[in-house]
Amino acid sequence: MPTNILHDISDWRGRAGASGIPSICTAHPQVLVAAMRATAPTGLPLLIEATCNQVNQDGGYTGMTPADYRDFAFALADKEGFPRERLILGGDHLGPNPWKALPAQEAMAKAEVMIAAFAAAGFTKLHLDCSMGCKGEPVALADEETAARAARLAEVAEANLPGGDFPAPVYIIGTEVPIPGGAMEEIGELELTTPEAAKTTHAVTKAAFLDRGLGDAFSRVVGLVVQPGVEYGNHNVVDYVSAKAQSLSAALSDMPGMVFEAHSTDYQTRDNLRALVRDGFAILKVGPGLTFRWREALYGLDLIAEELFPGRRDKTLRQTMEEVMLAAPANWDRYYEGDDAERAMMRHFSYSDRIRYYWPVAEARAGEKALFDLLAGVEIPEPLIGAYLGARYEDVRAGRLAPKAEDLALAAVENLMQDYIFASRD
């Protein structure tokens, strides 16, 4: 059986090449294409992940099962010429969260079906997250119960591995982050995971695995999700402060073979991202930050299209997205507070980027296609790029970037990917 690329990630620091890896958590096709294009020249592997809410046996909000997502990712890679052997598929927050309104027995049964599907589809990085209470339970469970449920899911995953060209999966344990989908409140100062809490999670999870005879599987537990002091709210970012995380970072010396996984690294500066990797937070999760960049670029192109071809479309892309979101408010309504104007602003511009849930909707896809069709073959004037896509202006002026709509949009995402690639290499 092939060796999992991530199996020795704890040894990456201090040797040539990668010392960490970004985790691209999205199902947006153009974002994935941009990630592949940015990563391809580096020789680095590309880790892309789907959450339990995006992709599951019921289709999630993307309509894709794990096998569907695998085929979708491989098709994009093949089209882009990105080698499949450098593509790592991950499943994030795999546990009962999508069904936590049900009693635990029912929710866990559904979680078992889900992780079996992820494992059978050849996903080789699996985050086991059973920390949330189900119907009638506390919001957060005790470490021992969380670990016991995680081990139960690992046992199911191990029984459903596809074999063949797929390596055995590595596992990520723990959770010190908001529920999948993001924080629901304004973010202030964060309480970092304590070294003691991290080591306790590791110890009780190891015990739970061994109780089920899963010693080999536990040897493939390579990462622990912790809170290093990074997060973002709807319109603020909490920056990483390395000095505050040193005692947590030092705890890795007591957990051989482990690294930390940092969620919600979206919107951290390039230097902060590099500091995270240097401090042992080797897996950097990013998702909304990438689709935020895509939306930002598309809205700039939307304004450019109205400058060049006023009134040519029945409605702008922004108008289309507003209608789509208002027609199905469940993915944003309870997350945004304030008056109507404030909520309207956040629907389109919030850091939490809850607009990302709507790009798969047929009307949204049609609006996006209409925009690119209108600008197809158009060499966009530099002054309009400066006015509406200012971050791309210098690259266009220097001849590094073609002034074409698709190139400009993909470049916005690739530019952010470069920050993560920089952070992940010595």
Side-chain angles (χ1 to χ4, degrees):
M1 181 177 289
T3 301
N4 193 306
I5 295 173
L6 296 176
H7 190 262
D8 65 346
I9 188 171
S10 66
D11 296 329
W12 290 8
R13 279 196 293 176
R15 72 186 194 193
S19 51
I21 190 169
S23 167
I24 311 307
C25 194
T26 186
H28 195 292
Q30 284 88 353
V31 169
L32 291 175
V33 165
M36 290 175 188
R37 291 185 182 182
T39 306
T42 70
L44 298 173
L46 176 63
L47 169 59
I48 65 174
E49 302 211 41
T51 71
C52 59
N53 292 328
Q54 283 176 323
V55 172
N56 57 48
Q57 68 269 32
D58 300 325
Y61 71 78
T62 63
M64 286 190 281
T65 66
D68 292 334
Y69 185 88
R70 175 202 62 206
D71 294 344
F72 158 74
F74 282 168
L76 287 175
D78 292 346
K79 184 177 180 181
E80 286 297 311
F82 191 90
R84 288 190 182 191
E85 61 270 20
R86 286 171 54 196
L87 193 61
I88 305 168
L89 299 180
D92 196 30
H93 292 291
L94 301 183
N97 187 70
W99 308 282
K100 64 185 178 181
L102 300 174
Q105 184 175 355
E106 295 178 43
M108 283 297 295
K110 287 183 174 290
E112 287 183 353
V113 173
M114 177 174 64
I115 201 162
F118 271 91
F123 284 65
T124 55
K125 176 185 177 287
L126 303 174
H127 173 211
L128 306 171
D129 183 6
C130 299
S131 59
M132 66 292 299
C134 298
K135 184 177 181 180
E137 295 184 321
V139 173
L141 300 179
D143 288 338
E144 291 75 13
E145 182 61 33
T146 297
R149 293 182 184 183
R152 174 179 165 184
L153 294 186
E155 186 172 39
V156 172
E158 292 289 297
N160 286 276
L161 301 184
D165 293 334
F166 292 98
V170 297
Y171 293 100
I172 307 296
I173 59 175
T175 181
E176 284 284 351
V177 294
I179 59 173
M184 295 177 63
E185 68 282 332
E186 180 73 12
I187 303 298
E189 187 171 352
L190 297 169
E191 183 177 343
L192 279 65
T193 303
T194 66
E196 295 74 23
K199 288 185 280 190
T200 295
T201 296
H202 183 260
V204 298
T205 305
K206 180 178 182 179
F209 271 60
L210 296 181
D211 283 348
R212 287 182 174 267
L214 297 172
D216 179 67
F218 192 80
S219 73
R220 287 180 271 113
V221 174
V222 300
L224 174 63
V225 177
V226 292
Q227 176 51 269
V230 301
E231 190 51 84
Y232 56 88
N234 286 323
H235 47 74
N236 76 308
V237 177
V238 180
D239 284 310
Y240 179 62
V241 180
S242 177
K244 293 182 178 180
Q246 289 308 299
S247 60
L248 175 57
S249 180
L252 285 170
S253 63
D254 296 322
M255 296 179 284
M258 295 287 289
V259 299
F260 288 137
E261 178 169 289
H263 288 219
S264 301
T265 68
D266 313 66
Y267 314 109
Q268 294 293 312
T269 66
R270 172 180 277 217
D271 289 341
N272 285 351
L273 293 171
R274 171 160 276 193
L276 279 160
V277 173
R278 286 177 173 169
D279 290 346
F281 305 94
I283 303 172
L284 303 175
K285 297 297 292 288
V286 56
L290 293 164
T291 46
F292 182 95
R293 285 285 184 95
W294 179 256
R295 190 274 316 151
E296 192 173 55
L298 259 59
Y299 275 20
L301 291 169
D302 200 33
L303 293 168
I304 287 171
E306 285 304 294
E307 294 284 359
L308 295 176
F309 307 107
R312 186 76 63 88
R313 296 168 293 170
D314 292 337
K315 63 186 74 169
T316 66
L317 178 62
R318 180 171 176 177
Q319 289 168 338
T320 296
M321 297 309 295
E322 176 75 349
E323 290 179 4
V324 168
M325 286 187 284
L326 289 176
N331 286 316
W332 62 265
D333 188 44
R334 64 194 175 103
Y335 292 86
Y336 296 151
E337 298 180 348
D339 60 25
D340 288 347
E342 290 171 311
R343 284 156 61 84
M345 182 275 292
M346 286 188 284
R347 278 196 294 276
H348 296 274
F349 302 106
S350 166
Y351 277 139
S352 64
D353 192 55
R354 303 198 68 81
I355 196 173
R356 71 188 186 276
Y357 292 94
Y358 298 90
W359 293 115
V361 175
E363 292 84 354
R365 292 200 307 269
E368 188 174 318
K369 183 178 184 300
L371 174 63
F372 281 112
D373 285 349
L374 185 60
L375 294 174
V378 175
E379 187 164 306
I380 298 173
E382 290 175 3
L384 291 182
I385 293 171
Y388 297 115
L389 293 169
R392 310 279 77 80
Y393 177 78
E394 292 297 334
D395 284 338
V396 171
R397 283 286 293 117
R400 294 185 294 266
L401 177 62
K404 302 293 181 66
E406 186 174 6
D407 295 276
L408 291 163
L410 289 171
V413 181
E414 289 181 58
N415 181 258
L416 180 57
M417 277 297 303
Q418 293 300 337
D419 288 348
Y420 281 85
I421 291 168
F422 168 85
S424 300
R425 305 178 79 179
D426 289 329

